[in-house]
Amino acid sequence: MTIRRGRLSWLLGWYVKLKIRFRKHRKRYVEVATDLLKEIIDGKLDTSYSALFPLVTAYFTLKFDYKRDPLFGLFDRLYDIDVFVERGGGDCDDFAFAIGRVLSLLGEVYRFRVYFVTAIGPIREMAKWHTFVVVETSRYHILSPYTYLGVVNTMNEAVEAVAKHFETRYTNYYAISFDDPCIKGGEVK
């Protein structure tokens, strides 16, 4: 697959990658994510993939509010999970980052990989760009910050499903693993 990304998406990708790397071993984020995880799965008997991912998405949707970044989102800030919880929510990238942090704690146990995915389109439609979580098991589970969108076979299909859900079109995406220093990316067909 040929990867064509503009400078803006490249910079956004590196910004998130560095944020994940530098904060990976921060005690506060691990404590907050662990506490949330305990709340989510407390007393639930069925924690299979089909039950866990919708449960996590529903928990975040019900407990936290959508909040724009300062100045109407003109300056996008990516808050880590501890700040997200203190603020009582955030925008789509903050939700995705928090959900990803919680799920990354389970990744080694359940043998899945968690990706922070940003789907982008033309610069004039920047307000429609969206960030969400994709969990790779043998297939790809899509956790948009506000709803669980289901399971697909490829990362490209995940981006297409999100575009369909939001009735828009994305041209490119990048996906950053919480466990791995790589950035995946691609052109949406």
Side-chain angles (χ1 to χ4, degrees), residues 5-18:
R5 293 189 297 217
R7 287 186 185 123
L8 181 61
S9 65
W10 181 83
L11 286 171
L12 288 170
W14 276 100
Y15 169 72
V16 174
K17 180 179 175 180
L18 289 172

Side-chain angles (χ1 to χ4, degrees), residues 105-140:
L105 294 176
L106 292 174
E108 288 183 30
V109 176
Y110 278 88
R111 303 274 188 244
F112 57 69
R113 179 170 284 177
V114 182
Y115 291 97
F116 179 86
V117 182
T118 298
I120 59 176
I123 193 78
R124 67 184 175 280
E125 296 178 13
M126 194 171 175
K128 293 183 180 180
W129 295 6
H130 188 56
T131 303
F132 53 97
V133 173
V134 172
V135 180
E136 180 183 7
T137 59
S138 57
R139 297 177 70 199
Y140 294 83

Side-chain angles (χ1 to χ4, degrees), residues 25 56 71 111 124 128 137 148 156 179:
H25 301 292
V56 169
L71 293 172
R111 303 274 188 244
R124 67 184 175 280
K128 293 183 180 180
T137 59
Y148 176 72
N156 209 22
D179 313 312

